[in-house]
Structure formats: structure tokens, C-alpha cells
PDB file of all heavy atoms in Angstrom:
ATOM      1  N   THR A   7     197.586-108.700-119.717  1.00 98.00           N
ATOM      2  CA  THR A   7     198.716-108.237-120.525  1.00 98.00           C
ATOM      3  C   THR A   7     199.655-107.371-119.706  1.00 98.00           C
ATOM      4  O   THR A   7     200.879-107.469-119.829  1.00 98.00           O
ATOM      5  CB  THR A   7     198.204-107.447-121.749  1.00 98.00           C
ATOM      6  OG1 THR A   7     197.395-108.305-122.558  1.00 98.00           O
ATOM      7  CG2 THR A   7     199.358-106.920-122.576  1.00 98.00           C
ATOM      8  N   ALA A   8     199.088-106.528-118.859  1.00 98.00           N
ATOM      9  CA  ALA A   8     199.894-105.613-118.059  1.00 98.00           C
ATOM     10  C   ALA A   8     200.576-106.297-116.886  1.00 98.00           C
ATOM     11  O   ALA A   8     201.528-105.743-116.315  1.00 98.00           O
ATOM     12  CB  ALA A   8     199.026-104.466-117.549  1.00 98.00           C
ATOM     13  N   HIS A   9     200.109-107.506-116.528  1.00 98.00           N
ATOM     14  CA  HIS A   9     200.664-108.201-115.356  1.00 98.00           C
ATOM     15  C   HIS A   9     200.998-109.646-115.732  1.00 98.00           C
ATOM     16  O   HIS A   9     200.347-110.595-115.284  1.00 98.00           O
ATOM     17  CB  HIS A   9     199.671-108.152-114.195  1.00 98.00           C
ATOM     18  CG  HIS A   9     199.349-106.756-113.741  1.00 98.00           C
ATOM     19  ND1 HIS A   9     198.343-106.000-114.325  1.00 98.00           N
ATOM     20  CD2 HIS A   9     199.908-105.972-112.789  1.00 98.00           C
ATOM     21  CE1 HIS A   9     198.304-104.812-113.738  1.00 98.00           C
ATOM     22  NE2 HIS A   9     199.237-104.767-112.800  1.00 98.00           N
ATOM     23  N   PRO A  10     202.031-109.836-116.536  1.00 98.00           N
ATOM     24  CA  PRO A  10     202.355-111.181-117.032  1.00 98.00           C
ATOM     25  C   PRO A  10     202.838-112.144-115.956  1.00 98.00           C
ATOM     26  O   PRO A  10     202.865-113.356-116.201  1.00 98.00           O
ATOM     27  CB  PRO A  10     203.443-110.913-118.073  1.00 98.00           C
ATOM     28  CG  PRO A  10     204.077-109.617-117.637  1.00 98.00           C
ATOM     29  CD  PRO A  10     202.954-108.810-117.071  1.00 98.00           C
ATOM     30  N   ARG A  11     203.212-111.641-114.799  1.00 98.00           N
ATOM     31  CA  ARG A  11     203.693-112.522-113.729  1.00 98.00           C
ATOM     32  C   ARG A  11     202.566-113.047-112.847  1.00 98.00           C
ATOM     33  O   ARG A  11     202.818-113.755-111.875  1.00 98.00           O
ATOM     34  CB  ARG A  11     204.738-111.793-112.873  1.00 98.00           C
ATOM     35  CG  ARG A  11     206.005-111.443-113.639  1.00 98.00           C
ATOM     36  CD  ARG A  11     207.050-110.822-112.740  1.00 98.00           C
ATOM     37  NE  ARG A  11     208.275-110.518-113.475  1.00 98.00           N
ATOM     38  CZ  ARG A  11     209.360-109.962-112.938  1.00 98.00           C
ATOM     39  NH1 ARG A  11     209.351-109.651-111.633  1.00 98.00           N
ATOM     40  NH2 ARG A  11     210.423-109.714-113.675  1.00 98.00           N
ATOM     41  N   GLN A  12     201.332-112.695-113.176  1.00 98.00           N
ATOM     42  CA  GLN A  12     200.160-113.203-112.477  1.00 98.00           C
ATOM     43  C   GLN A  12     199.295-113.986-113.447  1.00 98.00           C
ATOM     44  O   GLN A  12     199.302-113.734-114.650  1.00 98.00           O
ATOM     45  CB  GLN A  12     199.365-112.058-111.839  1.00 98.00           C
ATOM     46  CG  GLN A  12     200.160-111.283-110.805  1.00 98.00           C
ATOM     47  CD  GLN A  12     199.386-110.165-110.147  1.00 98.00           C
ATOM     48  OE1 GLN A  12     199.694-109.761-109.042  1.00 98.00           O
ATOM     49  NE2 GLN A  12     198.375-109.645-110.821  1.00 98.00           N
ATOM     50  N   ASP A  13     198.551-114.941-112.923  1.00 98.00           N
ATOM     51  CA  ASP A  13     197.654-115.758-113.729  1.00 98.00           C
ATOM     52  C   ASP A  13     196.210-115.401-113.414  1.00 98.00           C
ATOM     53  O   ASP A  13     195.866-115.143-112.242  1.00 98.00           O
ATOM     54  CB  ASP A  13     197.879-117.245-113.457  1.00 98.00           C
ATOM     55  CG  ASP A  13     199.228-117.724-113.958  1.00 98.00           C
ATOM     56  OD1 ASP A  13     199.734-117.165-114.946  1.00 98.00           O
ATOM     57  OD2 ASP A  13     199.790-118.662-113.354  1.00 98.00           O
ATOM     58  N   TYR A  14     195.340-115.440-114.436  1.00 98.00           N
ATOM     59  CA  TYR A  14     193.958-115.004-114.304  1.00 98.00           C
ATOM     60  C   TYR A  14     193.007-116.103-114.775  1.00 98.00           C
ATOM     61  O   TYR A  14     193.113-116.577-115.910  1.00 98.00           O
ATOM     62  CB  TYR A  14     193.728-113.718-115.106  1.00 98.00           C
ATOM     63  CG  TYR A  14     194.546-112.571-114.567  1.00 98.00           C
ATOM     64  CD1 TYR A  14     195.867-112.379-114.987  1.00 98.00           C
ATOM     65  CD2 TYR A  14     194.035-111.720-113.596  1.00 98.00           C
ATOM     66  CE1 TYR A  14     196.640-111.350-114.461  1.00 98.00           C
ATOM     67  CE2 TYR A  14     194.799-110.688-113.071  1.00 98.00           C
ATOM     68  CZ  TYR A  14     196.101-110.509-113.503  1.00 98.00           C
ATOM     69  OH  TYR A  14     196.859-109.500-112.966  1.00 98.00           O
ATOM     70  N   LEU A  15     192.101-116.479-113.890  1.00 98.00           N
ATOM     71  CA  LEU A  15     191.057-117.439-114.221  1.00 98.00           C
ATOM     72  C   LEU A  15     189.754-116.671-114.355  1.00 98.00           C
ATOM     73  O   LEU A  15     189.217-116.168-113.363  1.00 98.00           O
ATOM     74  CB  LEU A  15     190.939-118.509-113.138  1.00 98.00           C
ATOM     75  CG  LEU A  15     189.805-119.532-113.309  1.00 98.00           C
ATOM     76  CD1 LEU A  15     189.951-120.300-114.613  1.00 98.00           C
ATOM     77  CD2 LEU A  15     189.763-120.490-112.116  1.00 98.00           C
ATOM     78  N   GLY A  16     189.250-116.549-115.581  1.00 98.00           N
ATOM     79  CA  GLY A  16     188.028-115.793-115.827  1.00 98.00           C
ATOM     80  C   GLY A  16     186.832-116.708-115.931  1.00 98.00           C
ATOM     81  O   GLY A  16     186.882-117.739-116.612  1.00 98.00           O
ATOM     82  N   ILE A  17     185.745-116.328-115.278  1.00 97.00           N
ATOM     83  CA  ILE A  17     184.509-117.101-115.304  1.00 97.00           C
ATOM     84  C   ILE A  17     183.419-116.244-115.929  1.00 97.00           C
ATOM     85  O   ILE A  17     183.193-115.107-115.515  1.00 97.00           O
ATOM     86  CB  ILE A  17     184.088-117.536-113.889  1.00 97.00           C
ATOM     87  CG1 ILE A  17     185.186-118.395-113.240  1.00 97.00           C
ATOM     88  CG2 ILE A  17     182.773-118.313-113.930  1.00 97.00           C
ATOM     89  CD1 ILE A  17     184.876-118.795-111.811  1.00 97.00           C
ATOM     90  N   GLU A  18     182.740-116.802-116.922  1.00 95.00           N
ATOM     91  CA  GLU A  18     181.661-116.092-117.606  1.00 95.00           C
ATOM     92  C   GLU A  18     180.702-117.123-118.192  1.00 95.00           C
ATOM     93  O   GLU A  18     181.142-118.131-118.745  1.00 95.00           O
ATOM     94  CB  GLU A  18     182.229-115.195-118.717  1.00 95.00           C
ATOM     95  CG  GLU A  18     181.197-114.478-119.558  1.00 95.00           C
ATOM     96  CD  GLU A  18     180.307-113.564-118.737  1.00 95.00           C
ATOM     97  OE1 GLU A  18     180.823-112.607-118.125  1.00 95.00           O
ATOM     98  OE2 GLU A  18     179.090-113.829-118.710  1.00 95.00           O
ATOM     99  N   VAL A  19     179.395-116.882-118.058  1.00 93.00           N
ATOM    100  CA  VAL A  19     178.409-117.820-118.580  1.00 93.00           C
ATOM    101  C   VAL A  19     177.913-117.428-119.971  1.00 93.00           C
ATOM    102  O   VAL A  19     177.241-118.218-120.640  1.00 93.00           O
ATOM    103  CB  VAL A  19     177.202-117.954-117.620  1.00 93.00           C
ATOM    104  CG1 VAL A  19     177.652-118.556-116.300  1.00 93.00           C
ATOM    105  CG2 VAL A  19     176.513-116.613-117.391  1.00 93.00           C
ATOM    106  N   HIS A  20     178.241-116.239-120.422  1.00 91.00           N
ATOM    107  CA  HIS A  20     177.718-115.679-121.666  1.00 91.00           C
ATOM    108  C   HIS A  20     178.600-116.115-122.831  1.00 91.00           C
ATOM    109  O   HIS A  20     179.767-115.722-122.927  1.00 91.00           O
ATOM    110  CB  HIS A  20     177.705-114.159-121.530  1.00 91.00           C
ATOM    111  CG  HIS A  20     177.076-113.435-122.658  1.00 91.00           C
ATOM    112  ND1 HIS A  20     177.607-112.272-123.182  1.00 91.00           N
ATOM    113  CD2 HIS A  20     175.956-113.685-123.370  1.00 91.00           C
ATOM    114  CE1 HIS A  20     176.834-111.831-124.156  1.00 91.00           C
ATOM    115  NE2 HIS A  20     175.833-112.668-124.298  1.00 91.00           N
ATOM    116  N   GLY A  21     178.058-116.918-123.746  1.00 93.00           N
ATOM    117  CA  GLY A  21     178.841-117.467-124.836  1.00 93.00           C
ATOM    118  C   GLY A  21     179.554-116.436-125.696  1.00 93.00           C
ATOM    119  O   GLY A  21     180.760-116.572-125.952  1.00 93.00           O
ATOM    120  N   PRO A  22     178.870-115.393-126.184  1.00 94.00           N
ATOM    121  CA  PRO A  22     179.572-114.380-126.975  1.00 94.00           C
ATOM    122  C   PRO A  22     180.717-113.710-126.218  1.00 94.00           C
ATOM    123  O   PRO A  22     181.741-113.363-126.814  1.00 94.00           O
ATOM    124  CB  PRO A  22     178.457-113.380-127.314  1.00 94.00           C
ATOM    125  CG  PRO A  22     177.219-114.219-127.344  1.00 94.00           C
ATOM    126  CD  PRO A  22     177.400-115.216-126.231  1.00 94.00           C
ATOM    127  N   GLY A  23     180.561-113.529-124.902  1.00 94.00           N
ATOM    128  CA  GLY A  23     181.650-112.965-124.111  1.00 94.00           C
ATOM    129  C   GLY A  23     182.850-113.887-124.063  1.00 94.00           C
ATOM    130  O   GLY A  23     184.003-113.445-124.152  1.00 94.00           O
ATOM    131  N   VAL A  24     182.596-115.188-123.920  1.00 96.00           N
ATOM    132  CA  VAL A  24     183.692-116.163-123.926  1.00 96.00           C
ATOM    133  C   VAL A  24     184.389-116.132-125.279  1.00 96.00           C
ATOM    134  O   VAL A  24     185.623-116.129-125.363  1.00 96.00           O
ATOM    135  CB  VAL A  24     183.155-117.573-123.612  1.00 96.00           C
ATOM    136  CG1 VAL A  24     184.256-118.619-123.801  1.00 96.00           C
ATOM    137  CG2 VAL A  24     182.613-117.629-122.183  1.00 96.00           C
ATOM    138  N   GLY A  25     183.601-116.092-126.359  1.00 96.00           N
ATOM    139  CA  GLY A  25     184.199-116.022-127.684  1.00 96.00           C
ATOM    140  C   GLY A  25     185.015-114.757-127.878  1.00 96.00           C
ATOM    141  O   GLY A  25     186.097-114.778-128.485  1.00 96.00           O
ATOM    142  N   ALA A  26     184.520-113.631-127.356  1.00 96.00           N
ATOM    143  CA  ALA A  26     185.232-112.358-127.495  1.00 96.00           C
ATOM    144  C   ALA A  26     186.564-112.396-126.758  1.00 96.00           C
ATOM    145  O   ALA A  26     187.585-111.917-127.269  1.00 96.00           O
ATOM    146  CB  ALA A  26     184.365-111.214-126.978  1.00 96.00           C
ATOM    147  N   LEU A  27     186.578-112.967-125.546  1.00 97.00           N
ATOM    148  CA  LEU A  27     187.838-113.047-124.817  1.00 97.00           C
ATOM    149  C   LEU A  27     188.802-114.007-125.515  1.00 97.00           C
ATOM    150  O   LEU A  27     190.011-113.741-125.582  1.00 97.00           O
ATOM    151  CB  LEU A  27     187.603-113.484-123.372  1.00 97.00           C
ATOM    152  CG  LEU A  27     188.876-113.623-122.518  1.00 97.00           C
ATOM    153  CD1 LEU A  27     189.704-112.343-122.523  1.00 97.00           C
ATOM    154  CD2 LEU A  27     188.526-114.018-121.085  1.00 97.00           C
ATOM    155  N   CYS A  28     188.289-115.115-126.038  1.00 97.00           N
ATOM    156  CA  CYS A  28     189.152-116.032-126.790  1.00 97.00           C
ATOM    157  C   CYS A  28     189.826-115.295-127.950  1.00 97.00           C
ATOM    158  O   CYS A  28     191.019-115.504-128.222  1.00 97.00           O
ATOM    159  CB  CYS A  28     188.338-117.203-127.319  1.00 97.00           C
ATOM    160  SG  CYS A  28     187.900-118.437-126.081  1.00 97.00           S
ATOM    161  N   LYS A  29     189.085-114.449-128.631  1.00 97.00           N
ATOM    162  CA  LYS A  29     189.646-113.666-129.736  1.00 97.00           C
ATOM    163  C   LYS A  29     190.742-112.733-129.244  1.00 97.00           C
ATOM    164  O   LYS A  29     191.819-112.632-129.857  1.00 97.00           O
ATOM    165  CB  LYS A  29     188.526-112.866-130.415  1.00 97.00           C
ATOM    166  CG  LYS A  29     188.946-112.073-131.644  1.00 97.00           C
ATOM    167  CD  LYS A  29     187.701-111.445-132.295  1.00 97.00           C
ATOM    168  CE  LYS A  29     188.050-110.729-133.604  1.00 97.00           C
ATOM    169  NZ  LYS A  29     188.828-109.506-133.356  1.00 97.00           N
ATOM    170  N   LEU A  30     190.510-112.061-128.135  1.00 97.00           N
ATOM    171  CA  LEU A  30     191.518-111.156-127.581  1.00 97.00           C
ATOM    172  C   LEU A  30     192.777-111.910-127.157  1.00 97.00           C
ATOM    173  O   LEU A  30     193.895-111.429-127.359  1.00 97.00           O
ATOM    174  CB  LEU A  30     190.929-110.402-126.386  1.00 97.00           C
ATOM    175  CG  LEU A  30     189.831-109.388-126.693  1.00 97.00           C
ATOM    176  CD1 LEU A  30     189.192-108.882-125.397  1.00 97.00           C
ATOM    177  CD2 LEU A  30     190.370-108.226-127.511  1.00 97.00           C
ATOM    178  N   LEU A  31     192.604-113.083-126.576  1.00 98.00           N
ATOM    179  CA  LEU A  31     193.764-113.872-126.140  1.00 98.00           C
ATOM    180  C   LEU A  31     194.593-114.311-127.334  1.00 98.00           C
ATOM    181  O   LEU A  31     195.828-114.283-127.296  1.00 98.00           O
ATOM    182  CB  LEU A  31     193.300-115.098-125.351  1.00 98.00           C
ATOM    183  CG  LEU A  31     192.536-114.846-124.051  1.00 98.00           C
ATOM    184  CD1 LEU A  31     192.215-116.168-123.348  1.00 98.00           C
ATOM    185  CD2 LEU A  31     193.308-113.931-123.112  1.00 98.00           C
ATOM    186  N   ALA A  32     193.909-114.730-128.407  1.00 97.00           N
ATOM    187  CA  ALA A  32     194.624-115.182-129.595  1.00 97.00           C
ATOM    188  C   ALA A  32     195.345-114.026-130.275  1.00 97.00           C
ATOM    189  O   ALA A  32     196.533-114.131-130.629  1.00 97.00           O
ATOM    190  CB  ALA A  32     193.655-115.855-130.561  1.00 97.00           C
ATOM    191  N   GLU A  33     194.644-112.924-130.453  1.00 97.00           N
ATOM    192  CA  GLU A  33     195.237-111.784-131.162  1.00 97.00           C
ATOM    193  C   GLU A  33     196.380-111.157-130.373  1.00 97.00           C
ATOM    194  O   GLU A  33     197.350-110.667-130.953  1.00 97.00           O
ATOM    195  CB  GLU A  33     194.160-110.746-131.442  1.00 97.00           C
ATOM    196  CG  GLU A  33     193.122-111.192-132.467  1.00 97.00           C
ATOM    197  CD  GLU A  33     192.033-110.171-132.689  1.00 97.00           C
ATOM    198  OE1 GLU A  33     191.847-109.279-131.829  1.00 97.00           O
ATOM    199  OE2 GLU A  33     191.357-110.264-133.736  1.00 97.00           O
TER     200      GLU A  33
END
């Protein structure tokens, strides 16, 4: 959010963590 001119590829194997980030991205 603070650096909109950069792109971020996040890697995580933990399902709840992936779901939590998806929620943050949507909101």
C-alpha cells in the first residue's frame, strides 16, 4: 500500500495466511 509503484510477489504455504492476505487485498 505504501509503495504502489512496486510490485510484490508473496509466497506462503500456510492456507489461513493466504486467506488472510486475500482479505487484506480485497478490503
Side-chain angles (χ1 to χ4, degrees):
T7 299
H9 299 87
R11 295 184 179 180
Q12 299 181 155
D13 292 330
Y14 296 86
L15 176 60
I17 301 177
E18 176 60 62
V19 296
H20 186 221
V24 172
L27 179 55
C28 284
K29 184 174 185 290
L30 292 171
L31 298 183
E33 291 178 341

